[in-house]
Amino acid sequence: MSNSLLLQKYNTPVPRYTSYPTVPYWENNLNEDLWKQKVRQASEQYGAEGISLYLHLPYCESLCTYCACNTRITVNHAVEEGYIQSLLKEWDLYLQQFTGKPIIKEIHLGGGTPTFFSPENLHFLLKRILSGATQHEHFDFSFEGHPSNTTHEHLRVLNTLGFKRVSFGVQDFDETVQEAIHRFQSFEEVKNAMDNARELGYRSVNVDLVYGLPFQTEATVKDTIEKVIALKPERIAFYSYAHVPWLKPGQRKYSEKDLPADAVKRSLYNLGKQLFAEAGYEDVGMDHFALPGDDLYEAAKKGNLHRNFMGYTAQHTHLLIALGASSISDTWDAFAQNIKSVEEYQKKVAEGKFPIMKGHALSEEDLLIRAHILDLMCRYQTGWRVEHRWEELYARIAHRLQ
């Protein structure tokens, strides 16, 4: 069978596998007491290696219609203080479960738009969190910034707290595409934000691009990619657009007929991959490209690349604590997702309870399959390293695949 026929045969949407099992297949077999137990056990077992901390900051001033993230649209910045207090209360709930002072190895601010929050409020939030923890000697702090509202002061304040990596969401520079997805930033705004970051000493700047957006063509995508390459970011993420208007009504601003056909979408990816390679970028994981010398490139080269709910990372931690509405924590043998509604999340935290909406305690079989998926996504290969206690599980899985 030719490559084109194989692509047609297997061209079907699949999970991104930010977890295994994926969220729709979680058994919801966790209550609050079991979750506390899982956190305590993970703290005891993995605490010395350091933990990852994700903060979900859901607010945006306007809706990007392509976005599938959990967001809250408002121009009322008075919401910042109350939400920060909720994050700190949730963090206190976790501090009560840790055995000793936590060692923080990774922090990532995601959203929403983290730079919706003022530099002063971000400083207050992070200073409070870091005051109750120890920083790992190889810590890696990063945040997502909108090029249009990430100010020099945002970058400076976060840099003083140890942030050395920033990811700017660009998606596409074409004006027709930007109008359709309601995401506006000019090349000059992106360049200015990147210049500010480098002036302040950020060692890695990432740019997010998306292919498969409405009204994209090979010509417009080529133009966007060439402009980004001219800025020489250390990393580029090239994501496939997921059209799910039944989940995200904002995507109904355009229709399927406005999207590139499957064959065109595939050509957009191939075009991007070719242009990145010609500019010296190397494949890292499934949808990332990095310049030699970047931490992500070096981790991939050494076989140390890792993937968690924050995406691909050069750091490996077993315990990921996620704070904020809709965020997902991982103790390695259990997942827990917070309530998605901001108000309900805040109410639960105010009551002194973990704001868990659903969860999943992983079985031994889950852990085994998860290890293989991580191998495939990070190293493009996996191996059947059979130990005695796994033999029955391997036999069970093989029987299902027959």
Side-chain angles (χ1 to χ4, degrees):
M1 188 178 289
S2 68
N3 287 340
S4 61
L5 290 175
L6 279 172
L7 286 172
Q8 280 184 307
K9 179 179 180 181
Y10 294 109
N11 183 26
T12 184
V14 296
R16 293 185 185 274
Y17 285 110
T18 47
S19 70
Y20 181 84
T22 53
V23 178
Y25 295 95
W26 287 3
E27 294 178 8
N28 208 17
N29 52 3
L30 275 179
N31 56 32
E32 185 173 16
D33 288 339
L34 181 55
W35 178 242
K36 289 179 182 178
Q37 179 185 326
K38 293 290 188 182
V39 173
R40 286 194 296 270
Q41 290 174 344
S43 173
E44 292 172 3
Q45 186 172 358
Y46 306 120
E49 74 177 11
I51 70 171
S52 295
L53 186 63
Y54 173 73
L55 281 68
H56 189 72
L57 305 173
Y59 296 104
C60 298
E61 287 193 342
S62 64
L63 175 67
C64 300
T65 55
Y66 74 93
C67 180
C69 298
N70 186 62
T71 61
R72 173 60 62 88
I73 310 304
T74 182
V75 294
N76 176 21
H77 285 262
V79 299
E80 294 181 34
E81 185 176 342
Y83 190 78
I84 284 173
Q85 291 302 325
S86 296
L87 292 174
L88 292 173
K89 287 177 183 175
E90 187 183 4
W91 177 237
D92 285 341
L93 293 176
Y94 279 104
L95 289 176
Q96 295 169 28
Q97 309 307 317
F98 296 150
T99 54
K101 207 173 186 182
I103 302 170
I104 297 180
K105 195 172 187 179
E106 281 188 302
I107 294 179
H108 185 68
L109 311 182
T113 306
T115 45
F116 171 96
F117 288 72
S118 71
E120 296 78 15
N121 280 335
L122 289 175
H123 184 271
F124 173 79
L125 167 64
L126 291 159
K127 198 71 175 175
R128 279 283 307 275
I129 287 174
L130 291 170
S131 67
T134 300
Q135 286 180 217
H136 193 280
E137 60 177 329
H138 301 301
F139 69 89
D140 183 14
F141 297 170
S142 60
F143 74 98
E144 297 168 14
H146 193 311
S148 296
N149 68 11
T150 301
T151 65
H152 189 278
E153 186 64 6
H154 278 112
L155 290 159
R156 187 193 68 78
V157 165
L158 289 170
N159 185 252
T160 64
L161 293 169
F163 284 74
K164 300 296 183 184
R165 189 160 56 82
V166 58
S167 179
F168 291 118
V170 172
Q171 323 318 345
D172 195 291
F173 280 125
D174 183 77
E175 291 183 3
T176 301
V177 176
Q178 288 190 358
E179 179 65 35
I181 65 175
H182 205 248
R183 172 80 179 198
F184 306 101
Q185 70 276 308
S186 66
F187 174 81
E188 289 71 25
E189 286 173 316
V190 175
K191 183 179 186 302
N192 182 61
M194 291 177 66
D195 288 345
N196 286 338
R198 285 172 169 147
E199 173 199 329
L200 289 163
Y202 282 77
R203 70 172 185 269
S204 183
V205 177
N206 177 82
V207 167
D208 289 344
L209 300 175
V210 177
Y211 66 95
L213 292 171
F215 306 111
Q216 280 183 331
T217 65
E218 288 195 10
T220 63
V221 169
K222 184 173 186 288
D223 180 67
T224 290
I225 290 175
E226 287 176 342
K227 286 176 178 175
V228 168
I229 287 173
L231 297 174
K232 208 76 173 176
E234 282 71 21
R235 304 179 189 179
I236 299 172
F238 196 39
Y239 294 120
S240 170
Y241 168 66
H243 192 58
V244 287
W246 57 92
L247 296 176
K248 294 295 177 179
Q251 294 182 353
R252 294 198 176 101
K253 181 179 178 182
Y254 42 84
S255 68
E256 284 81 357
K257 66 179 176 59
D258 300 318
L259 304 176
D262 288 344
V264 175
K265 185 177 181 182
R266 179 70 190 181
S267 71
L268 296 180
Y269 173 77
N270 288 335
L271 172 64
K273 186 172 181 177
Q274 176 189 337
L275 292 172
F276 299 142
E278 290 172 355
Y281 290 86
E282 299 283 346
D283 275 318
V284 175
M286 295 184 67
D287 41 28
H288 284 60
F289 301 83
L291 290 174
D294 184 76
D295 289 349
L296 208 65
Y297 169 85
E298 295 300 329
K301 188 177 179 181
K302 295 173 183 176
N304 297 328
L305 190 66
H306 182 57
R307 183 180 172 93
N308 57 25
F309 285 107
M310 300 191 297
Y312 282 107
T313 172
Q315 304 277 13
H316 186 284
T317 63
H318 287 82
L319 178 56
L320 164 64
I321 299 300
L323 309 178
S326 80
S327 63
I328 302 176
S329 296
D330 177 4
T331 63
W332 202 254
D333 62 352
F335 304 125
Q337 182 175 25
N338 282 350
I339 297 166
K340 293 184 178 182
S341 162
V342 170
E343 290 78 13
E344 291 181 28
Y345 159 77
Q346 292 181 298
K347 180 176 181 293
K348 198 77 170 179
V349 171
E351 294 170 353
K353 298 177 181 178
F354 281 95
I356 298 171
M357 177 184 76
K358 66 188 299 186
H360 181 84
L362 280 74
S363 66
E364 286 192 335
E365 183 176 319
D366 290 338
L367 287 166
L368 178 63
I369 298 173
R370 179 188 192 186
H372 285 304
I373 288 174
L374 280 172
D375 276 346
L376 291 169
M377 297 183 80
C378 296
R379 286 165 279 282
Y380 309 126
Q381 62 183 7
T382 192
W384 296 92
R385 300 177 294 274
V386 179
E387 297 174 14
H388 178 72
R389 66 192 183 96
W390 293 118
E391 287 180 356
E392 182 184 346
L393 294 175
Y394 279 115
R396 213 183 309 157
I397 295 167
H399 178 71
R400 285 211 309 265
L401 295 176
Q402 289 176 353

